[in-house]
Amino acid sequence: MQPISLLLFVSITTYIRVSWAAPNEHCPPLGPVLPPPTHASSSPAVASSVATLQRFLDVYTAQFNHSAVAIGLKSIHEKDYILEYAYSPPNHDARGVQEVNSDTVFRIASVSKIFPVLGLLRLHGVSLDDPVTKYVPELLALNGQAREQSPIWTIPWDEITLGALASHLSGIGADLIFDYTPYGNFTPYGFPPVNKSKLLGCSGGLGLPECDRTVFFERFGERAPVQLPFSPNAVYSNAGFAILGFAFESATNRSFRDFVQHEVWAPLNMTSTFATKPDDSVGFIPTDDIWWNASLGYAEPGGGYYSSINDLTRFGEAILRNEVGLSATQTRKWLKPLSQTSSLGTLIGAPWEIYRISNVTTDGRLIELYTKDGGLITYNSVFALIPDYDLVATILVAAPLVENEATAIDTRIIFSKLLESLLPGIEEAGKDEAALTHGGTYRDELTNSSITLTLDDGPGFNISSWIVRGVDVIGSWSGLSFVPNPVPPTDSPLRFRLYPTTVQTDSHASWRSVAQPATPETIALIESQLLPPQSLCVTWGQLDRATYMLQAQDHFVFTLDSQGKATAVELVAYAVSMTRQEE
């Protein structure tokens, strides 16, 4: 036991630090804390946020004389965009469009990587746990090109799975075609003179022809591994997605281009999405740009596609609606991290870059963004799914490589500003709708039971009153000493909050309550003595723990009408159903 003086000092200093890091002690389950709003665009808070963001974008893009920007943010529950924005610069290449809009085609670069992963996930009998050599046995011969037959120079291809390639866990090299050699003299930077026998003679850029599959299998074995498969840190690899394309074609005896065009893009009416360069007249092309025309050859599935805001938004909506050839369970499995990075805010999926933010809503909770960034010299892109709100966000930017024009950093700044500006308003819209659909008092006169659900600055619903058979559940709960808790009991009032789950039908929805047994001060004091951050945020381990006659005490089931509005709630363990009272 620490001396009381030290405990007091730690409590004060840590509470000051924690109070700045998070506004309260809430630890909701990861995911939506209320049903996503279905009419966000009609919310005054959202309208105000959109107007503020548009003013920012007008000022931000005004600095660009050659850079085009297109942005879309849309809810899957609404017909129109929440935000639709386009900036057309005064200068552009005459080959392309003059006025940018949501149908304007841009190169999407590595956003393309989503499609080969989706293709493999749709194949029956193919698993991401399969070794890649099951489908591309030619990879084994690549080690014959290695500098030495040693683990330093050879790649353990039999240990690499399709999933490892999809989530950047294969450990193989990043690229083959983006080698410096063809693009200038690099001896002034310390590199040796070029050995002409080592030149690829292809790349797809700067006037060189594209590299085909033959070149890949003739030369990629010269590239040493970066890590062993499934090492702690992911290693970004464009080459891995070319190999996924090879694997798909081997498994189906069909070109991946044919599959994606006819089985993904056509059913979704993605008529402005292309595997190869479309007619110049449909795209934005920066002045004198050479990368609009560049063909990536064998690497096409990993970064060669073209698309528009409207098409990518349709695609994102289809993912969130489970309309891309995957079941709802398969989609939920796909939207999961598979690896980590050295950034606390970034996880890696297949092929998602999963950003974790906790500084945009009043409750300070963690929100995950399933994104894919893309960059091909003069084109940059962000495609993002925000499942907590059923939102799709897309940003497409094209700019020449000259000073004071848009870069990849500008694309990220615009994305961050979009989140910072709009998510608080959308959160408020969700609360306004939840108050109408689920909030208020529910009562059963026969058993003298009632419960009141209110909204505040915290996540989910606050259970402000909870009476069952005349018993004050909140006031008496601390007497149940066997109930698992991450912190010791205190004299502070117990609080309960209520959150939705993914278990629901058209007529019923399952929710779970979470107890908050301690004050921010108590939590700060205990966590100051624990090494991992947020050590007491263990809601994932507390759900469904307290049961009575095998039914969970935290289990609430709402009855919904045809409009999704709650009419009653059942407290399952208490065997009580209460009717919602009209205000």
Side-chain angles (χ1 to χ4, degrees):
M1 181 67 70
Q2 296 187 26
I4 188 64
S5 58
L6 179 57
L7 280 174
L8 181 61
F9 172 77
V10 170
S11 176
I12 293 172
T13 56
T14 307
Y15 176 57
I16 291 173
R17 172 171 53 81
V18 171
S19 65
W20 282 101
N24 49 51
E25 72 279 17
H26 304 301
C27 173
L30 186 64
V33 295
L34 290 171
T38 57
H39 301 91
S41 292
S42 61
S43 163
V46 172
S48 175
S49 299
V50 168
T52 299
L53 179 59
Q54 287 177 325
R55 288 192 294 270
F56 164 81
L57 292 171
D58 288 343
V59 173
Y60 196 86
T61 57
Q63 65 182 306
F64 302 137
N65 291 314
H66 300 268
S67 308
V69 178
I71 305 170
L73 178 73
K74 191 172 183 299
S75 164
I76 69 171
H77 303 288
E78 297 188 272
K79 179 181 177 182
D80 297 325
Y81 284 92
I82 294 172
L83 171 75
E84 185 176 17
Y85 185 90
Y87 173 72
S88 306
N91 302 298
H92 51 82
D93 197 290
R95 292 172 291 165
V97 301
Q98 298 182 29
E99 293 295 323
V100 175
N101 58 40
S102 294
D103 283 322
T104 301
V105 175
F106 292 72
R107 299 208 71 153
I108 62 172
S110 285
V111 174
S112 308
K113 288 180 170 63
I114 299 171
F115 296 103
V117 178
L118 173 60
L120 289 167
L121 289 173
R122 286 178 51 162
L123 295 182
H124 297 292
V126 174
S127 167
L128 293 189
D129 288 329
D130 289 340
V132 65
T133 50
K134 177 179 178 180
Y135 305 100
V136 194
E138 307 97 298
L139 292 169
L140 293 169
L142 289 179
N143 284 334
Q145 304 164 18
R147 174 174 155 179
E148 296 176 12
Q149 294 304 299
S150 154
I152 301 297
W153 303 103
T154 59
I155 293 172
W157 290 107
D158 272 336
E159 299 174 12
I160 295 173
T161 65
L162 298 175
L165 293 167
S167 56
H168 302 285
L169 285 172
S170 67
I172 68 172
D175 284 300
L176 182 69
I177 60 176
F178 289 105
D179 188 273
Y180 284 174
T181 314
Y183 303 125
N185 176 19
F186 291 91
T187 56
Y189 300 94
F191 291 100
V194 171
N195 178 347
K196 292 186 178 180
S197 68
K198 293 291 185 181
L199 292 175
L200 286 176
C202 61
S203 75
L206 295 181
L208 292 172
E210 66 182 50
C211 294
D212 60 18
R213 177 182 172 131
T214 299
V215 172
F216 178 86
F217 283 101
E218 287 176 347
R219 300 298 301 275
F220 192 74
E222 298 173 36
R223 305 242 43 221
V226 183
Q227 297 270 16
L228 292 174
F230 300 103
S231 291
N233 194 69
V235 176
Y236 197 94
S237 175
N238 289 315
F241 288 81
I243 298 171
L244 289 179
F246 301 156
F248 180 92
E249 293 175 343
S250 173
T252 62
N253 197 30
R254 181 182 188 182
S255 79
F256 185 74
R257 181 187 294 179
D258 180 74
F259 164 81
V260 76
Q261 288 175 330
H262 293 93
E263 306 297 335
V264 180
W265 300 340
L268 296 177
N269 196 30
M270 295 173 65
T271 56
S272 294
T273 301
F274 306 92
T276 57
K277 186 188 80 66
D279 191 276
D280 294 344
S281 64
V282 302
F284 181 83
I285 306 173
T287 305
D288 299 326
D289 184 72
I290 62 173
W291 293 100
W292 169 259
N293 294 334
S295 172
L296 300 189
Y298 76 83
E300 178 185 291
Y305 298 152
Y306 300 70
S307 194
S308 66
I309 291 291
N310 280 338
D311 275 14
L312 288 174
T313 300
R314 290 188 191 100
F315 178 58
E317 289 184 282
I319 293 174
L320 293 177
R321 289 175 175 154
N322 311 307
E323 295 174 350
V324 292
L326 303 180
S327 68
T329 300
Q330 288 174 310
T331 300
R332 290 194 300 270
K333 183 178 179 180
W334 188 20
L335 299 180
K336 285 287 180 290
L338 296 173
S339 183
Q340 58 280 332
T341 70
S342 47
S343 165
L344 290 175
T346 305
L347 301 172
I348 303 299
W352 311 107
E353 288 119 27
I354 305 163
Y355 298 114
R356 315 186 96 197
I357 58 175
S358 59
N359 54 355
V360 295
T361 56
T362 56
D363 55 28
R365 76 177 186 279
L366 191 66
I367 298 173
E368 289 190 333
L369 317 171
Y370 282 77
T371 78
K372 189 69 200 76
D373 293 358
L376 184 62
I377 314 302
T378 53
Y379 289 87
N380 289 287
S381 51
V382 175
F383 173 79
L385 306 177
I386 311 176
D388 282 16
Y389 301 103
D390 283 345
L391 296 174
V392 181
T394 309
I395 301 172
L396 301 176
V397 174
L401 296 178
V402 297
E403 192 174 356
N404 298 323
E405 294 299 327
T407 65
I409 293 297
D410 291 296
T411 309
R412 298 299 308 173
I413 289 172
I414 291 171
F415 181 49
S416 294
K417 192 66 177 179
L418 181 151
L419 299 171
E420 179 185 46
S421 300
L422 298 188
L423 288 192
I426 292 168
E427 172 87 354
E428 187 172 337
K431 288 189 174 186
D432 290 343
E433 290 189 22
L436 295 174
T437 58
H438 291 76
T441 297
Y442 297 73
R443 191 181 307 279
D444 177 48
E445 299 289 355
L446 185 63
T447 60
N448 189 22
S449 302
S450 66
I451 191 166
T452 300
L453 308 179
T454 58
L455 291 163
D456 51 24
D457 286 341
F461 276 105
N462 175 43
I463 302 179
S464 55
S465 173
W466 186 353
I467 306 296
V468 176
R469 296 183 177 87
V471 176
D472 178 1
V473 173
I474 298 174
S476 63
W477 186 246
S478 59
L480 297 174
S481 59
F482 63 85
V483 176
N485 245 318
V487 296
T490 67
D491 294 330
S492 62
L494 197 67
R495 287 145 296 159
F496 285 86
R497 302 195 78 87
L498 189 61
Y499 303 107
T501 73
T502 55
V503 182
Q504 56 185 2
T505 66
D506 289 341
S507 59
H508 292 85
S510 178
W511 291 50
R512 296 285 175 148
S513 66
V514 172
Q516 297 172 273
T519 63
E521 294 89 344
T522 301
I523 291 174
L525 172 60
I526 297 173
E527 288 202 335
S528 71
Q529 301 170 79
L530 304 174
L531 200 55
Q534 295 184 297
S535 291
L536 297 184
C537 186
V538 291
T539 300
W540 68 273
Q542 290 181 276
L543 297 175
D544 202 62
R545 298 297 293 276
T547 61
Y548 185 78
M549 291 193 294
L550 300 183
Q551 301 303 312
Q553 180 272 344
D554 61 10
H555 193 191
F556 290 60
V557 177
F558 286 98
T559 299
L560 308 176
D561 65 17
S562 60
Q563 303 301 312
K565 185 176 180 179
T567 59
V569 65
E570 178 186 359
L571 279 60
V572 179
Y574 295 93
V576 169
S577 292
M578 307 180 200
T579 302
R580 191 177 183 193
Q581 306 299 292
E582 296 295 333
E583 297 294 335

